[in-house]
Amino acid sequence: MSLLEVKNLHTYFHTMDGVTKSVEGVSFSVEKGSTLGLVGESGCGKSVTSLSVMQLVACPPGEIHEGEIFFDGEDLLKKTPEEMRKIRGNDISMIFQEPMTSLNPVFTVGFQVSEVLINHRNMTEEQAKERVISLFKDVGIPDPVRRFDNYPHQMSGGMRQRVMIAMGLACKPKLLIADEPTTALDVTIQAQVLQLMREIKEKTNTAIILITHNLAVVAEMADFIAVMYFGRIVEYTDVKELYKNPKHPYTHGLLNSIPRVDKPKTDVPLPAIPGVVPNPYKSPKGCKFHPRCKFAQEKCRQEEPPYILLPGTKGHFCRCWYPVKN
């Protein structure tokens, strides 16, 4: 049985301009101890999908319109707010995209991480402090005893991200959702954070959902990849298969835009996907990617393709009328 199973998830936002269907018909599963990479451009619905799993979508204006979210065999959408508070931070933790805005600036980082342990594990303040200092040491924060009393503004971006990772791991969750954990960090710190997450996964068997637009990061970290576009998963398979045999034109465009160190240097610019993600209030007819797709045909402009298992494959799904032949 999967640790997390999302079935036909629809998350909508009701605004003065109309209804935005941020997530529409998303389905995926995450096994214990595995890593799922959720990739795509900004505005494709990655973060809203993760917030839906955590039941953190503000209502109003947001609502989970349809679908099921099973965690450890239980439907999270049937949980009361009190039951979800016991699950969040304890069984499911999330590392948010920007630690400077996720951490409260008026409390020390030590207090904020301790609060998780006091609320979920009924620790005393002294017990929580001892555990937090140990966590800070585990995530590579130097001089953890002194850093315990630091405020967020007294720490670098990399250190703040490590605090967020420590907070996410405080209760040894079964599932860790990491939303752009390396955003705004330099490449050296990015490598350190990813290595830390890899070590944590191997040590604790924690399942991870890694949300990013960086396919290079996913190649290093993930076991499976779900490519999202306009609120839908357009391709899903294991990481090796995706890089070896991408089928959706959008996935091709993302992969072709990555600089390759194994290719000879040329003066030819990297190819870019033309256009932008469509206006959420003006959904294109047919395949949502067809206005930007160089392979689009008339059928693509008229009918939305189904999400199907590709013939002759084991677990390679694609949403395209004419999958790319490699």
Side-chain angles (χ1 to χ4, degrees):
M1 184 177 67
S2 300
L3 177 65
L4 176 72
E5 192 166 1
V6 177
K7 297 181 178 180
N8 195 35
L9 178 66
H10 293 70
T11 303
Y12 298 169
F13 289 88
H14 300 269
T15 72
M16 294 180 67
D17 295 319
V19 178
T20 299
K21 298 180 179 180
S22 297
V23 176
E24 196 165 10
V26 164
S27 299
F28 63 86
S29 61
V30 182
E31 303 293 327
K32 293 180 180 179
S34 69
T35 299
L36 171 69
L38 206 55
V39 303
E41 294 169 285
S42 296
C44 286
K46 307 184 300 297
S47 294
V48 175
T49 299
S50 67
L51 292 173
S52 300
V53 171
M54 295 287 286
Q55 299 291 290
L56 290 175
V57 174
C59 181
E63 67 159 338
I64 296 178
H65 182 74
E66 185 182 343
E68 297 174 307
I69 303 173
F70 288 96
F71 178 75
D72 242 359
E74 298 183 357
D75 192 347
L76 296 183
L77 297 184
K78 294 181 179 179
K79 297 289 185 183
T80 65
E82 181 61 31
E83 289 172 330
M84 278 306 303
R85 277 193 290 270
K86 292 179 180 178
I87 293 171
R88 281 194 298 264
N90 193 24
D91 294 321
I92 308 176
S93 287
M94 187 167 180
I95 302 171
F96 292 95
Q97 186 167 348
E98 175 46 61
M100 194 57 195
T101 56
S102 301
L103 291 168
N104 193 318
V106 302
F107 293 110
T108 65
V109 294
F111 172 83
Q112 294 182 64
V113 181
S114 296
E115 195 175 26
V116 178
L117 294 164
I118 293 170
N119 287 335
H120 288 294
R121 294 301 167 94
N122 297 317
M123 290 186 178
T124 64
E125 289 186 11
E126 285 302 317
Q127 289 172 330
K129 181 175 181 178
E130 185 178 339
R131 169 69 174 147
V132 170
I133 290 172
S134 176
L135 281 166
F136 282 0
K137 184 178 180 181
D138 290 344
V139 300
I141 294 177
D143 197 0
V145 176
R146 182 175 64 85
R147 290 291 190 179
F148 183 91
D149 294 317
N150 278 179
Y151 289 88
H153 72 271
Q154 295 175 301
M155 307 182 84
S156 68
M159 288 297 105
R160 289 194 294 265
Q161 193 62 283
R162 290 170 191 266
V163 170
M164 291 299 297
I165 293 172
M167 187 182 294
L169 297 171
C171 294
K172 299 181 180 178
K174 298 175 183 177
L175 174 65
L176 178 66
I177 301 175
D179 189 358
E180 302 275 9
T182 57
T183 295
L185 301 179
D186 62 68
V187 291
T188 304
I189 303 301
Q190 282 186 30
Q192 292 174 3
V193 169
L194 293 175
Q195 178 61 26
L196 172 62
M197 292 179 64
R198 191 182 299 108
E199 291 172 357
I200 289 164
K201 174 187 170 184
E202 294 171 356
K203 185 178 179 180
T204 64
N205 201 37
T206 299
I208 298 174
I209 297 178
L210 178 62
I211 300 171
T212 182
H213 59 267
N214 190 332
L215 279 164
V217 168
V218 172
E220 187 178 346
M221 291 289 296
D223 301 303
F224 299 92
I225 298 181
V227 181
M228 287 194 72
Y229 185 78
F230 203 68
R232 298 157 174 78
I233 292 178
V234 296
E235 187 163 6
Y236 174 91
T237 186
D238 66 82
V239 64
K240 292 182 180 178
E241 174 67 13
L242 187 96
Y243 282 84
K244 180 182 177 182
N245 194 25
K247 288 299 185 181
H248 199 280
Y250 180 59
T251 309
H252 262 269
L254 293 175
L255 290 171
N256 288 337
S257 65
I258 300 174
R260 297 284 297 270
V261 296
D262 59 340
K263 299 289 184 181
K265 182 180 178 181
T266 68
D267 294 327
V268 179
L270 285 170
I273 301 173
V276 295
V277 178
N279 186 322
Y281 301 110
K282 298 178 181 178
S283 176
K285 188 178 179 181
C287 174
K288 308 309 174 188
F289 186 63
H290 89 257
R292 308 173 67 188
C293 181
K294 62 182 179 181
F295 304 110
Q297 300 184 33
E298 187 58 31
K299 187 175 184 179
C300 306
R301 300 181 181 92
Q302 300 300 324
E303 301 176 42
E304 185 166 359
Y307 182 63
I308 61 169
L309 175 65
L310 295 175
T313 68
K314 295 181 179 180
H316 195 158
F317 293 83
C318 187
R319 189 187 296 272
C320 185
W321 288 119
Y322 305 101
V324 178
K325 295 179 180 181
N326 296 295

